[in-house]
mmCIF file of all heavy atoms in Angstrom:
data_model
loop_
_atom_site.group_PDB
_atom_site.id
_atom_site.type_symbol
_atom_site.label_atom_id
_atom_site.label_comp_id
_atom_site.label_asym_id
_atom_site.label_seq_id
_atom_site.Cartn_x
_atom_site.Cartn_y
_atom_site.Cartn_z
ATOM 1 N N GLY A 1 -50.928 32.868 -21.070
ATOM 2 C CA GLY A 1 -51.284 31.855 -20.166
ATOM 3 C C GLY A 1 -51.891 32.422 -18.892
ATOM 4 O O GLY A 1 -52.890 31.923 -18.338
ATOM 5 N N MET A 2 -51.382 33.564 -18.402
ATOM 6 C CA MET A 2 -51.925 34.229 -17.235
ATOM 7 C C MET A 2 -53.319 34.848 -17.526
ATOM 8 O O MET A 2 -54.210 34.751 -16.740
ATOM 9 C CB MET A 2 -50.990 35.296 -16.641
ATOM 10 C CG MET A 2 -49.691 34.742 -16.182
ATOM 11 S SD MET A 2 -49.910 33.643 -14.744
ATOM 12 C CE MET A 2 -49.925 34.820 -13.434
ATOM 13 N N LEU A 3 -53.450 35.390 -18.688
ATOM 14 C CA LEU A 3 -54.775 35.986 -19.136
ATOM 15 C C LEU A 3 -55.799 34.878 -19.188
ATOM 16 O O LEU A 3 -56.951 35.120 -18.729
ATOM 17 C CB LEU A 3 -54.585 36.692 -20.478
ATOM 18 C CG LEU A 3 -55.737 37.484 -21.029
ATOM 19 C CD1 LEU A 3 -56.108 38.645 -20.065
ATOM 20 C CD2 LEU A 3 -55.489 38.031 -22.369
ATOM 21 N N GLU A 4 -55.447 33.751 -19.672
ATOM 22 C CA GLU A 4 -56.409 32.607 -19.721
ATOM 23 C C GLU A 4 -56.898 32.202 -18.305
ATOM 24 O O GLU A 4 -57.919 31.545 -18.155
ATOM 25 C CB GLU A 4 -55.790 31.412 -20.449
ATOM 26 C CG GLU A 4 -55.638 31.656 -21.929
ATOM 27 C CD GLU A 4 -54.789 30.623 -22.621
ATOM 28 O OE1 GLU A 4 -54.323 29.688 -21.948
ATOM 29 O OE2 GLU A 4 -54.554 30.861 -23.853
ATOM 30 N N ARG A 5 -56.090 32.598 -17.331
ATOM 31 C CA ARG A 5 -56.447 32.223 -15.923
ATOM 32 C C ARG A 5 -56.983 33.479 -15.176
ATOM 33 O O ARG A 5 -57.008 33.490 -13.997
ATOM 34 C CB ARG A 5 -55.196 31.652 -15.234
ATOM 35 C CG ARG A 5 -54.818 30.269 -15.793
ATOM 36 C CD ARG A 5 -53.375 29.959 -15.502
ATOM 37 N NE ARG A 5 -53.042 28.633 -15.947
ATOM 38 C CZ ARG A 5 -52.701 28.318 -17.235
ATOM 39 N NH1 ARG A 5 -52.675 29.278 -18.154
ATOM 40 N NH2 ARG A 5 -52.439 27.098 -17.600
ATOM 41 N N ASP A 6 -57.370 34.454 -15.961
ATOM 42 C CA ASP A 6 -57.933 35.722 -15.402
ATOM 43 C C ASP A 6 -56.986 36.531 -14.570
ATOM 44 O O ASP A 6 -57.347 37.105 -13.554
ATOM 45 C CB ASP A 6 -59.258 35.510 -14.672
ATOM 46 C CG ASP A 6 -60.317 34.989 -15.586
ATOM 47 O OD1 ASP A 6 -60.344 35.462 -16.767
ATOM 48 O OD2 ASP A 6 -61.127 34.164 -15.208
ATOM 49 N N ILE A 7 -55.636 36.376 -14.833
ATOM 50 C CA ILE A 7 -54.649 37.147 -14.062
ATOM 51 C C ILE A 7 -53.928 38.006 -15.083
ATOM 52 O O ILE A 7 -53.354 37.488 -16.129
ATOM 53 C CB ILE A 7 -53.667 36.219 -13.377
ATOM 54 C CG1 ILE A 7 -54.369 35.291 -12.347
ATOM 55 C CG2 ILE A 7 -52.527 37.007 -12.705
ATOM 56 C CD1 ILE A 7 -53.552 34.259 -11.784
ATOM 57 N N LEU A 8 -53.835 39.272 -14.855
ATOM 58 C CA LEU A 8 -53.320 40.206 -15.795
ATOM 59 C C LEU A 8 -51.869 40.551 -15.364
ATOM 60 O O LEU A 8 -51.599 40.994 -14.221
ATOM 61 C CB LEU A 8 -54.162 41.539 -15.897
ATOM 62 C CG LEU A 8 -53.812 42.508 -16.987
ATOM 63 C CD1 LEU A 8 -53.926 41.865 -18.344
ATOM 64 C CD2 LEU A 8 -54.723 43.700 -16.887
ATOM 65 N N ILE A 9 -50.942 40.368 -16.257
ATOM 66 C CA ILE A 9 -49.554 40.787 -16.087
ATOM 67 C C ILE A 9 -49.187 41.713 -17.281
ATOM 68 O O ILE A 9 -50.013 41.839 -18.245
ATOM 69 C CB ILE A 9 -48.586 39.606 -15.995
ATOM 70 C CG1 ILE A 9 -48.483 38.897 -17.288
ATOM 71 C CG2 ILE A 9 -48.980 38.674 -14.806
ATOM 72 C CD1 ILE A 9 -47.383 37.870 -17.367
ATOM 73 N N ARG A 10 -48.057 42.243 -17.274
ATOM 74 C CA ARG A 10 -47.633 43.107 -18.381
ATOM 75 C C ARG A 10 -46.471 42.530 -19.134
ATOM 76 O O ARG A 10 -45.430 42.179 -18.575
ATOM 77 C CB ARG A 10 -47.244 44.514 -17.807
ATOM 78 C CG ARG A 10 -46.850 45.511 -18.889
ATOM 79 C CD ARG A 10 -46.606 46.838 -18.349
ATOM 80 N NE ARG A 10 -47.834 47.311 -17.778
ATOM 81 C CZ ARG A 10 -47.988 48.504 -17.220
ATOM 82 N NH1 ARG A 10 -46.991 49.346 -17.156
ATOM 83 N NH2 ARG A 10 -49.112 48.915 -16.741
ATOM 84 N N ASP A 11 -46.614 42.410 -20.453
ATOM 85 C CA ASP A 11 -45.525 41.966 -21.297
ATOM 86 C C ASP A 11 -44.720 43.203 -21.628
ATOM 87 O O ASP A 11 -45.173 44.102 -22.309
ATOM 88 C CB ASP A 11 -46.113 41.359 -22.569
ATOM 89 C CG ASP A 11 -45.024 41.023 -23.646
ATOM 90 O OD1 ASP A 11 -43.886 41.226 -23.376
ATOM 91 O OD2 ASP A 11 -45.452 40.502 -24.664
ATOM 92 N N VAL A 12 -43.531 43.348 -21.076
ATOM 93 C CA VAL A 12 -42.674 44.540 -21.297
ATOM 94 C C VAL A 12 -41.539 44.225 -22.290
ATOM 95 O O VAL A 12 -40.655 45.000 -22.309
ATOM 96 C CB VAL A 12 -42.152 45.065 -19.963
ATOM 97 C CG1 VAL A 12 -43.264 45.583 -19.061
ATOM 98 C CG2 VAL A 12 -41.251 44.043 -19.247
ATOM 99 N N SER A 13 -41.752 43.168 -22.995
ATOM 100 C CA SER A 13 -40.644 42.777 -23.914
ATOM 101 C C SER A 13 -40.397 43.751 -25.063
ATOM 102 O O SER A 13 -39.293 43.580 -25.712
ATOM 103 C CB SER A 13 -40.929 41.338 -24.520
ATOM 104 O OG SER A 13 -42.148 41.341 -25.244
ATOM 105 N N LYS A 14 -41.297 44.681 -25.287
ATOM 106 C CA LYS A 14 -40.957 45.677 -26.349
ATOM 107 C C LYS A 14 -40.271 46.904 -25.783
ATOM 108 O O LYS A 14 -39.865 47.761 -26.552
ATOM 109 C CB LYS A 14 -42.280 46.081 -27.031
ATOM 110 C CG LYS A 14 -42.868 44.929 -27.764
ATOM 111 C CD LYS A 14 -44.039 45.286 -28.559
ATOM 112 C CE LYS A 14 -44.503 44.083 -29.302
ATOM 113 N NZ LYS A 14 -45.802 44.152 -29.939
ATOM 114 N N TYR A 15 -40.077 46.977 -24.490
ATOM 115 C CA TYR A 15 -39.323 48.058 -23.888
ATOM 116 C C TYR A 15 -37.846 47.896 -24.178
ATOM 117 O O TYR A 15 -37.360 46.682 -24.108
ATOM 118 C CB TYR A 15 -39.557 48.173 -22.444
ATOM 119 C CG TYR A 15 -40.998 48.464 -22.014
ATOM 120 C CD1 TYR A 15 -42.073 48.602 -22.945
ATOM 121 C CD2 TYR A 15 -41.354 48.747 -20.693
ATOM 122 C CE1 TYR A 15 -43.348 48.924 -22.591
ATOM 123 C CE2 TYR A 15 -42.642 49.030 -20.300
ATOM 124 C CZ TYR A 15 -43.618 49.112 -21.244
ATOM 125 O OH TYR A 15 -44.918 49.479 -20.915
ATOM 126 N N PRO A 16 -37.066 48.893 -24.265
ATOM 127 C CA PRO A 16 -35.590 48.809 -24.462
ATOM 128 C C PRO A 16 -35.040 47.997 -23.316
ATOM 129 O O PRO A 16 -35.341 48.169 -22.180
ATOM 130 C CB PRO A 16 -35.151 50.206 -24.441
ATOM 131 C CG PRO A 16 -36.305 51.081 -24.871
ATOM 132 C CD PRO A 16 -37.447 50.346 -24.323
ATOM 133 N N MET A 17 -34.178 47.062 -23.622
ATOM 134 C CA MET A 17 -33.401 46.203 -22.734
ATOM 135 C C MET A 17 -34.292 45.261 -21.923
ATOM 136 O O MET A 17 -33.741 44.589 -20.975
ATOM 137 C CB MET A 17 -32.594 47.059 -21.793
ATOM 138 C CG MET A 17 -31.632 47.913 -22.452
ATOM 139 S SD MET A 17 -30.403 48.915 -21.511
ATOM 140 C CE MET A 17 -31.136 49.110 -19.929
ATOM 141 N N LEU A 18 -35.544 45.075 -22.234
ATOM 142 C CA LEU A 18 -36.408 44.175 -21.538
ATOM 143 C C LEU A 18 -37.030 43.047 -22.404
ATOM 144 O O LEU A 18 -38.036 42.536 -22.180
ATOM 145 C CB LEU A 18 -37.477 44.866 -20.781
ATOM 146 C CG LEU A 18 -37.024 45.836 -19.703
ATOM 147 C CD1 LEU A 18 -38.240 46.614 -19.128
ATOM 148 C CD2 LEU A 18 -36.294 45.121 -18.603
ATOM 149 N N ALA A 19 -36.358 42.771 -23.467
ATOM 150 C CA ALA A 19 -36.835 41.834 -24.536
ATOM 151 C C ALA A 19 -37.340 40.523 -23.966
ATOM 152 O O ALA A 19 -38.176 39.851 -24.607
ATOM 153 C CB ALA A 19 -35.831 41.637 -25.651
ATOM 154 N N GLU A 20 -36.738 39.989 -22.933
ATOM 155 C CA GLU A 20 -37.096 38.662 -22.385
ATOM 156 C C GLU A 20 -38.021 38.726 -21.156
ATOM 157 O O GLU A 20 -38.257 37.681 -20.586
ATOM 158 C CB GLU A 20 -35.812 37.961 -22.029
ATOM 159 C CG GLU A 20 -34.873 37.734 -23.237
ATOM 160 C CD GLU A 20 -33.539 37.168 -22.783
ATOM 161 O OE1 GLU A 20 -33.263 36.989 -21.562
ATOM 162 O OE2 GLU A 20 -32.741 36.753 -23.690
ATOM 163 N N TYR A 21 -38.540 39.886 -20.777
ATOM 164 C CA TYR A 21 -39.143 40.023 -19.499
ATOM 165 C C TYR A 21 -40.634 40.331 -19.533
ATOM 166 O O TYR A 21 -41.203 40.764 -20.537
ATOM 167 C CB TYR A 21 -38.475 41.264 -18.806
ATOM 168 C CG TYR A 21 -37.053 40.905 -18.383
ATOM 169 C CD1 TYR A 21 -36.025 41.129 -19.173
ATOM 170 C CD2 TYR A 21 -36.727 40.377 -17.039
ATOM 171 C CE1 TYR A 21 -34.716 40.837 -18.780
ATOM 172 C CE2 TYR A 21 -35.495 40.120 -16.661
ATOM 173 C CZ TYR A 21 -34.451 40.301 -17.542
ATOM 174 O OH TYR A 21 -33.195 39.975 -17.173
ATOM 175 N N PHE A 22 -41.270 39.976 -18.410
ATOM 176 C CA PHE A 22 -42.624 40.406 -18.168
ATOM 177 C C PHE A 22 -42.665 41.027 -16.766
ATOM 178 O O PHE A 22 -41.713 40.821 -15.950
ATOM 179 C CB PHE A 22 -43.575 39.203 -18.263
ATOM 180 C CG PHE A 22 -43.284 38.090 -17.338
ATOM 181 C CD1 PHE A 22 -43.838 37.980 -16.063
ATOM 182 C CD2 PHE A 22 -42.474 36.993 -17.688
ATOM 183 C CE1 PHE A 22 -43.585 36.974 -15.233
ATOM 184 C CE2 PHE A 22 -42.198 36.016 -16.873
ATOM 185 C CZ PHE A 22 -42.714 35.960 -15.601
ATOM 186 N N ARG A 23 -43.711 41.735 -16.419
ATOM 187 C CA ARG A 23 -43.841 42.367 -15.144
ATOM 188 C C ARG A 23 -45.190 41.990 -14.532
ATOM 189 O O ARG A 23 -46.164 41.891 -15.206
ATOM 190 C CB ARG A 23 -43.802 43.884 -15.387
ATOM 191 C CG ARG A 23 -44.037 44.750 -14.172
ATOM 192 C CD ARG A 23 -44.230 46.236 -14.546
ATOM 193 N NE ARG A 23 -45.021 46.843 -13.510
ATOM 194 C CZ ARG A 23 -45.126 48.115 -13.296
ATOM 195 N NH1 ARG A 23 -44.429 48.966 -14.087
ATOM 196 N NH2 ARG A 23 -45.851 48.570 -12.382
ATOM 197 N N PHE A 24 -45.126 41.923 -13.237
ATOM 198 C CA PHE A 24 -46.417 41.623 -12.527
ATOM 199 C C PHE A 24 -46.358 42.349 -11.121
ATOM 200 O O PHE A 24 -45.339 42.537 -10.541
ATOM 201 C CB PHE A 24 -46.616 40.174 -12.265
ATOM 202 C CG PHE A 24 -45.596 39.397 -11.492
ATOM 203 C CD1 PHE A 24 -45.810 39.171 -10.194
ATOM 204 C CD2 PHE A 24 -44.477 39.024 -12.102
ATOM 205 C CE1 PHE A 24 -44.818 38.487 -9.407
ATOM 206 C CE2 PHE A 24 -43.472 38.321 -11.328
ATOM 207 C CZ PHE A 24 -43.675 38.101 -10.046
ATOM 208 N N ASN A 25 -47.548 42.758 -10.666
ATOM 209 C CA ASN A 25 -47.665 43.417 -9.426
ATOM 210 C C ASN A 25 -47.792 42.428 -8.262
ATOM 211 O O ASN A 25 -48.316 41.343 -8.414
ATOM 212 C CB ASN A 25 -48.958 44.360 -9.437
ATOM 213 C CG ASN A 25 -48.770 45.528 -10.255
ATOM 214 O OD1 ASN A 25 -47.624 45.769 -10.854
ATOM 215 N ND2 ASN A 25 -49.768 46.304 -10.464
ATOM 216 N N ILE A 26 -47.346 42.868 -7.106
ATOM 217 C CA ILE A 26 -47.492 42.150 -5.899
ATOM 218 C C ILE A 26 -48.802 42.529 -5.297
ATOM 219 O O ILE A 26 -49.144 43.730 -5.266
ATOM 220 C CB ILE A 26 -46.400 42.445 -4.928
ATOM 221 C CG1 ILE A 26 -44.987 42.167 -5.515
ATOM 222 C CG2 ILE A 26 -46.545 41.714 -3.571
ATOM 223 C CD1 ILE A 26 -44.778 40.626 -5.885
ATOM 224 N N GLY A 27 -49.611 41.539 -4.864
ATOM 225 C CA GLY A 27 -50.969 41.780 -4.387
ATOM 226 C C GLY A 27 -50.995 41.303 -2.956
ATOM 227 O O GLY A 27 -50.068 41.278 -2.146
ATOM 228 N N THR A 28 -52.244 40.950 -2.588
ATOM 229 C CA THR A 28 -52.500 40.315 -1.238
ATOM 230 C C THR A 28 -51.842 38.887 -1.208
ATOM 231 O O THR A 28 -51.546 38.394 -2.275
ATOM 232 C CB THR A 28 -53.981 40.229 -1.052
ATOM 233 O OG1 THR A 28 -54.547 39.292 -1.958
ATOM 234 C CG2 THR A 28 -54.728 41.567 -1.139
ATOM 235 N N PRO A 29 -51.696 38.390 -0.010
ATOM 236 C CA PRO A 29 -51.189 36.982 -0.005
ATOM 237 C C PRO A 29 -52.004 35.996 -0.857
ATOM 238 O O PRO A 29 -51.415 35.182 -1.549
ATOM 239 C CB PRO A 29 -51.204 36.704 1.558
ATOM 240 C CG PRO A 29 -51.004 38.020 2.196
ATOM 241 C CD PRO A 29 -51.805 38.991 1.316
ATOM 242 N N ALA A 30 -53.292 36.161 -0.768
ATOM 243 C CA ALA A 30 -54.107 35.222 -1.577
ATOM 244 C C ALA A 30 -53.938 35.399 -3.001
ATOM 245 O O ALA A 30 -53.834 34.520 -3.860
ATOM 246 C CB ALA A 30 -55.610 35.402 -1.251
ATOM 247 N N GLU A 31 -53.797 36.658 -3.485
ATOM 248 C CA GLU A 31 -53.548 37.008 -4.944
ATOM 249 C C GLU A 31 -52.214 36.484 -5.331
ATOM 250 O O GLU A 31 -51.993 35.943 -6.428
ATOM 251 C CB GLU A 31 -53.659 38.490 -5.179
ATOM 252 C CG GLU A 31 -55.105 39.047 -5.023
ATOM 253 C CD GLU A 31 -55.118 40.555 -5.018
ATOM 254 O OE1 GLU A 31 -54.141 41.210 -4.681
ATOM 255 O OE2 GLU A 31 -56.210 41.112 -5.347
ATOM 256 N N ASN A 32 -51.193 36.624 -4.498
ATOM 257 C CA ASN A 32 -49.856 36.191 -4.772
ATOM 258 C C ASN A 32 -49.828 34.658 -4.920
ATOM 259 O O ASN A 32 -49.162 34.121 -5.835
ATOM 260 C CB ASN A 32 -48.848 36.642 -3.761
ATOM 261 C CG ASN A 32 -48.671 38.160 -3.705
ATOM 262 O OD1 ASN A 32 -48.973 38.847 -4.687
ATOM 263 N ND2 ASN A 32 -48.152 38.687 -2.632
ATOM 264 N N ASP A 33 -50.517 33.997 -4.022
ATOM 265 C CA ASP A 33 -50.599 32.526 -4.070
ATOM 266 C C ASP A 33 -51.232 32.055 -5.389
ATOM 267 O O ASP A 33 -50.745 31.087 -5.971
ATOM 268 C CB ASP A 33 -51.368 31.986 -2.858
ATOM 269 C CG ASP A 33 -50.623 32.121 -1.535
ATOM 270 O OD1 ASP A 33 -49.364 32.325 -1.587
ATOM 271 O OD2 ASP A 33 -51.227 31.940 -0.528
ATOM 272 N N ALA A 34 -52.288 32.748 -5.785
ATOM 273 C CA ALA A 34 -53.022 32.339 -7.002
ATOM 274 C C ALA A 34 -52.087 32.574 -8.247
ATOM 275 O O ALA A 34 -52.045 31.765 -9.149
ATOM 276 C CB ALA A 34 -54.274 33.092 -7.160
ATOM 277 N N ALA A 35 -51.381 33.744 -8.212
ATOM 278 C CA ALA A 35 -50.475 34.032 -9.309
ATOM 279 C C ALA A 35 -49.329 33.024 -9.403
ATOM 280 O O ALA A 35 -49.018 32.558 -10.437
ATOM 281 C CB ALA A 35 -49.971 35.466 -9.182
ATOM 282 N N LEU A 36 -48.767 32.717 -8.231
ATOM 283 C CA LEU A 36 -47.675 31.770 -8.247
ATOM 284 C C LEU A 36 -48.093 30.393 -8.739
ATOM 285 O O LEU A 36 -47.375 29.802 -9.476
ATOM 286 C CB LEU A 36 -47.004 31.697 -6.801
ATOM 287 C CG LEU A 36 -46.196 32.918 -6.409
ATOM 288 C CD1 LEU A 36 -45.911 32.907 -4.915
ATOM 289 C CD2 LEU A 36 -44.945 33.008 -7.228
#
């Protein structure tokens, strides 16, 4: 869903103990607003 909106996050669900998680970076306030 994020990729379809040109926002790249990381699916870390294949890492040990992170099966349900994704990761995303904190950016500028404008980038954070767009991501949220």
Side-chain angles (χ1 to χ4, degrees):
M2 295 298 276
L3 187 61
E4 290 169 3
R5 291 159 179 82
D6 295 324
I7 300 172
L8 190 59
I9 67 169
R10 183 176 293 183
D11 175 0
V12 293
S13 62
K14 292 186 179 171
Y15 294 6
M17 301 186 336
L18 296 176
E20 300 174 350
Y21 290 86
F22 59 90
R23 174 188 154 162
F24 62 98
N25 286 355
I26 301 299
T28 66
E31 291 168 336
N32 293 340
D33 289 345
L36 288 168

